[in-house]
Amino acid sequence: MTGRAAGRRVTDMDYRHLGRTGLKVSPLCLGTMNFGPETTEADAHRILDEALDAGVNFIDTANVYGRVAGEGVTEQIVGRWLDADKSRRGRVVLATKVYGKMGEGPNDQKLSAYHIRRACEDSLRRLKTDHIDLYQMHHIDRATPWDEIWQAMERLVQDGSVVYVGSSNFAGWNIAQANTIAAQRQFLGLVSEQSLYNLNARMIELEVLPACRAFGVGMIPWSPLGGGLLGGVLQKAEGGRRASETMQKNIEKYRPQLERYEALCRDLGHEPADVALAWLLHQDGVTAPIVGPRTSEQLAGALRALDLTLDEATLRTLDEIWPGPGGQAPEAYAW
């Protein structure tokens, strides 16, 4: 395992294609869910500046972020940052999401063509931009036919409001169905999928990751540190989320694995959070894990993971500590 000192420059960044597209994004995606609820606007803007200066050009948000229903608080914070320096917009790949409840009306959520159009207009206004680079469906809407969804997305692409379309929390067969129908319509379809994926949550290896690889859909893992569980939870002082009842229960549930994991990280000479992110970056089909720093220090820590190379022995040991489902379906559970 090798590493370099911190202190990254844009020229150091090893940009990756997003799925099968020609679009290049940084191998870490800056998640903004904490902006507003946990991080002040001034601190959020500082983090955005530092990420951009370090070469992180991929910013992810959602219309429902901000914990104030229908207000799009986080999108507004990002929008004011973009508006304060117009040159920033041309330097970032801006991603947001549609699906969540944005009002009390019966059509103020999910993926009807009616809601997609209105939600996109509202996100553009809050983000203070004329286009969204990656417009992601935040969840599957089983009540809306794909022809309706794709017709709405095609319109947004045609009028320049959206460049690419992605998904989040889709099953493998949802990805296959969506892109098969898109191809029939001669539309590019999904180019990315956001899924829960980390060392302790590897269920997507059964079908979602294989589907993404088959259809050229880039994987953007969320919760790469398992809500803090993989961030060195045993060695950190009590406080914050780690003091919550849920976290304490998880610590006790996974204590034997956590002890082995954190001991391995100490032997390697690297922080557990860095190792967890580096492991994701070694997985076939992963484009960019989403990191959601609440502070500048947490952003600097995440950037360290880009300089870690895990050797085969380390990867095997991590698989022993945090075993996945056994490969992809059906071999994982059948012959």
Side-chain angles (χ1 to χ4, degrees):
M1 183 171 185
T2 61
R4 277 198 291 125
R8 301 188 61 82
R9 300 170 299 168
V10 174
T11 52
D12 294 329
M13 195 65 69
D14 183 19
Y15 294 96
R16 300 178 169 192
H17 286 281
L18 181 62
R20 65 191 184 283
T21 74
L23 181 69
K24 287 191 173 182
V25 296
S26 50
L28 288 182
C29 177
L30 182 66
T32 62
M33 190 168 66
N34 288 316
F35 293 178
E38 303 289 341
T39 304
T40 67
E41 181 159 342
D43 287 342
H45 286 181
R46 187 176 303 111
I47 290 168
L48 285 159
D49 283 338
E50 291 168 354
L52 189 59
D53 288 344
V56 176
N57 74 335
F58 197 7
I59 299 172
D60 177 72
T61 190
N63 59 0
V64 293
Y65 289 172
R67 297 185 193 167
V68 182
E71 293 296 315
V73 171
T74 304
E75 282 189 333
Q76 291 186 51
I77 290 172
V78 175
R80 285 189 285 269
W81 176 75
L82 289 170
D83 195 50
D85 181 347
K86 300 295 195 298
S87 70
R88 292 168 176 156
R89 184 63 189 90
R91 298 168 61 195
V92 301
V93 175
L94 182 62
T96 191
K97 306 182 192 75
V98 57
Y99 177 91
K101 186 175 182 180
M102 295 300 291
E104 297 303 319
N107 295 305
D108 289 337
Q109 60 184 318
K110 300 195 176 179
L111 299 177
S112 68
Y114 178 96
H115 179 60
I116 288 173
R117 179 185 62 82
R118 292 187 60 187
C120 184
E121 291 173 353
D122 290 343
S123 285
L124 290 169
R125 173 177 48 79
R126 288 188 292 265
L127 291 166
K128 298 184 183 298
T129 185
D130 62 357
H131 70 285
I132 295 162
D133 297 307
L134 179 62
Y135 201 35
Q136 303 157 110
M137 293 170 269
H138 213 159
H139 201 280
I140 190 71
D141 181 357
R142 297 180 179 87
T144 304
W146 273 110
D147 279 330
E148 178 180 350
I149 293 170
W150 282 138
Q151 178 177 276
M153 293 297 187
E154 287 162 7
R155 275 290 184 88
L156 294 177
V157 171
Q158 288 165 4
D159 71 20
S161 299
V162 167
V163 182
Y164 300 97
V165 181
S167 60
S168 181
N169 305 307
F170 275 29
W173 79 273
N174 297 140
I175 293 167
Q177 182 186 40
N179 272 8
T180 298
I181 294 173
Q184 292 169 355
R185 299 177 63 90
Q186 297 185 321
F187 187 61
L188 185 60
L190 301 176
V191 303
S192 65
E193 158 65 15
Q194 285 194 24
S195 287
L196 172 64
Y197 191 32
N198 58 60
L199 276 164
N200 191 41
R202 299 176 57 171
M203 192 67 72
I204 69 165
E205 293 174 4
L206 284 169
E207 299 198 30
V208 176
L209 264 179
C212 287
R213 290 193 292 261
F215 284 91
V217 173
M219 171 54 60
I220 309 171
W222 58 263
S223 194
L225 303 184
L229 190 72
L230 300 167
V233 69
L234 295 182
Q235 47 179 277
K236 293 187 178 178
E238 295 294 324
R241 289 179 298 171
R242 294 173 183 82
S244 70
E245 182 179 354
T246 299
M247 179 59 76
Q248 292 299 331
K249 287 181 178 178
N250 280 334
I251 289 172
E252 293 312 310
K253 179 179 180 181
Y254 297 110
R255 182 171 290 277
Q257 290 160 277
L258 288 168
E259 289 175 348
R260 290 184 63 197
Y261 175 61
E262 295 192 18
L264 171 67
C265 295
R266 285 193 298 272
D267 290 343
L268 295 169
H270 295 287
E271 294 296 322
D274 301 349
V275 174
L277 285 172
W279 177 83
L280 277 171
L281 290 165
H282 282 69
Q283 304 310 302
D284 184 21
V286 168
T287 298
I290 299 172
V291 294
R294 298 188 301 279
T295 65
S296 294
E297 291 73 22
Q298 290 180 347
L299 172 64
L303 290 168
R304 288 196 303 265
L306 299 179
D307 296 322
L308 301 188
T309 299
L310 305 179
D311 59 33
E312 289 301 320
T314 300
L315 291 170
R316 285 195 300 271
T317 302
L318 288 169
D319 279 338
E320 292 169 5
I321 297 171
W322 304 103
Q328 70 180 64
E331 290 87 350
Y333 50 79
W335 56 271

